[in-house]
Amino acid sequence: MEASHGHGQPPPAPSSSETLMAAFLNVPAARLHPLVRALAADARRLRCRLAFLLLSPPHFARALARLRSMPLPAKAALLGRVLLRSLLLLLPALCPAGGDDDYRRHHLLLPQPDLDAALLLLAMCDSYSPPAAAPSPVDWRAVIVDFVVASTLSVSGLGATPWAALAPYVDAAAKCRRFADVVPSSTARGAVKDGAGSGAASHAVVLALPAAAGDGAPCAICRDAMAPGRRGVCALRPCGHRFHWRCALRWLARRNTCPCCRAELPAQDAAAETRRLWRAVERTARGGG
């Protein structure tokens, strides 16, 4: 017989939205109000950009053509990166130790042409419902316009409360987590065999690693001594463990964790980076900061 949930069974895991709301409960009021203002400003910027695309047929056609030229894996990666944006905007308030500027310079934030295509793809996903009649070419511009007008005139769209700004980002961040669960990272298909990493570290983070002075201690990767001086030795952030440059580059090309303490660096892949950031959200939700 199966045991009932009330006898010895662990409680069900919280949903993504519940985890996010638990994390927000640990945000001091002094940081929550600036966060809501920043989210509202960013939401306005994205709405204005989408409205511009809808009001400018040449720009809409250019973004749609760019989207149609992408293979399915590229579209999935694009969707993952635009959803990841929600976590990047939320985390400075949830995990203030990293600093706001770290997230504004994040390597996975989309440049303008890709952001236009991503906004269009996200609007297509939100607005499309399969027709009951025989399939025919979809007038995406008309479909998205109808969806945007209906959303704007809804109760939540007209609201002026903080939740009106916060709710869409909670929903997007929850989608971001579900997307990472469904879509495997590009490096998760057998690339890493020895080690607990989740794929390559961010190229930008690797290039920014600071040089460090060797002290004769052995490198944890190759076991050779790191000669005194500042030549050929680097330090990982945030843990500060030191390795030969050549060893660190080879290691971080396959995994985004420190070989000594398993501290995580930002990942190059969007799905792997989503999982890393989501673990930070879960720590905040548990009160771990």
Side-chain angles (χ1 to χ4, degrees):
M1 293 179 61
E2 293 182 359
S4 64
H5 288 291
H7 298 281
Q9 290 276 349
S15 67
S16 299
S17 297
E18 290 170 341
T19 299
L20 284 163
M21 295 313 299
F24 278 118
L25 290 175
N26 291 319
V27 177
R31 294 190 65 88
L32 185 58
H33 292 298
L35 170 65
V36 171
R37 289 196 298 269
L39 294 182
D42 188 71
R44 284 194 299 271
R45 189 175 82 84
L46 295 184
R47 284 198 303 268
C48 289
R49 187 63 194 181
L50 181 59
F52 170 76
L53 293 175
L54 295 173
L55 292 171
S56 173
H59 287 86
F60 183 91
R62 189 177 303 121
L64 185 60
R66 183 181 182 84
L67 197 57
R68 285 173 169 165
S69 69
M70 294 180 176
L72 186 58
K75 290 176 183 174
L78 190 69
L79 189 59
R81 288 178 68 180
V82 73
L83 290 174
L84 181 66
R85 175 190 183 88
S86 59
L87 281 181
L88 294 174
L89 289 167
L90 293 173
L91 274 169
L94 301 183
C95 309
D100 292 0
D101 290 339
D102 293 344
Y103 292 97
R104 292 187 184 126
R105 295 194 299 265
H106 197 277
H107 65 285
L108 287 176
L109 285 178
L110 292 167
Q112 193 64 60
D114 286 339
L115 181 60
D116 287 348
L119 288 175
L120 199 56
L121 178 59
L122 199 57
M124 292 162 74
C125 293
D126 288 338
S127 61
Y128 181 68
S129 58
S136 59
V138 179
D139 184 352
W140 281 114
R141 188 161 169 267
V143 169
I144 296 174
V145 166
D146 290 343
F147 172 77
V148 169
V149 171
S151 299
T152 303
L153 297 179
S154 68
V155 174
S156 61
L158 294 173
T161 64
W163 180 247
L166 199 58
Y169 276 91
V170 170
D171 181 59
K175 286 180 182 177
C176 184
R177 182 65 181 95
R178 294 194 294 270
F179 181 86
D181 285 340
V182 173
V183 178
S185 62
S186 62
T187 53
R189 293 182 284 271
V192 177
K193 297 179 181 178
D194 54 339
S198 55
S202 158
H203 300 163
V205 169
V206 173
L207 290 173
L209 291 176
D215 57 1
C219 170
I221 299 174
C222 70
R223 304 300 181 186
D224 290 340
M226 293 179 285
R230 300 184 65 88
R231 294 176 58 86
V233 178
C234 66
L236 296 193
R237 292 172 173 169
C239 61
H241 286 120
R242 289 174 289 185
F243 311 94
H244 291 123
W245 266 109
R246 63 181 185 276
C247 299
L249 292 177
R250 285 197 300 266
W251 181 276
L252 296 175
R254 301 181 64 198
R255 26 178 107 65
N256 69 323
T257 53
C258 171
C260 290
C261 65
R262 295 295 185 260
E264 289 186 297
L265 282 73
Q268 182 65 22
D269 178 79
E273 179 66 353
T274 295
R275 297 184 187 101
R276 184 186 76 88
L277 295 176
W278 190 260
R279 285 190 285 273
V281 174
E282 290 176 330
R283 287 194 295 271
T284 306
R286 293 192 298 265

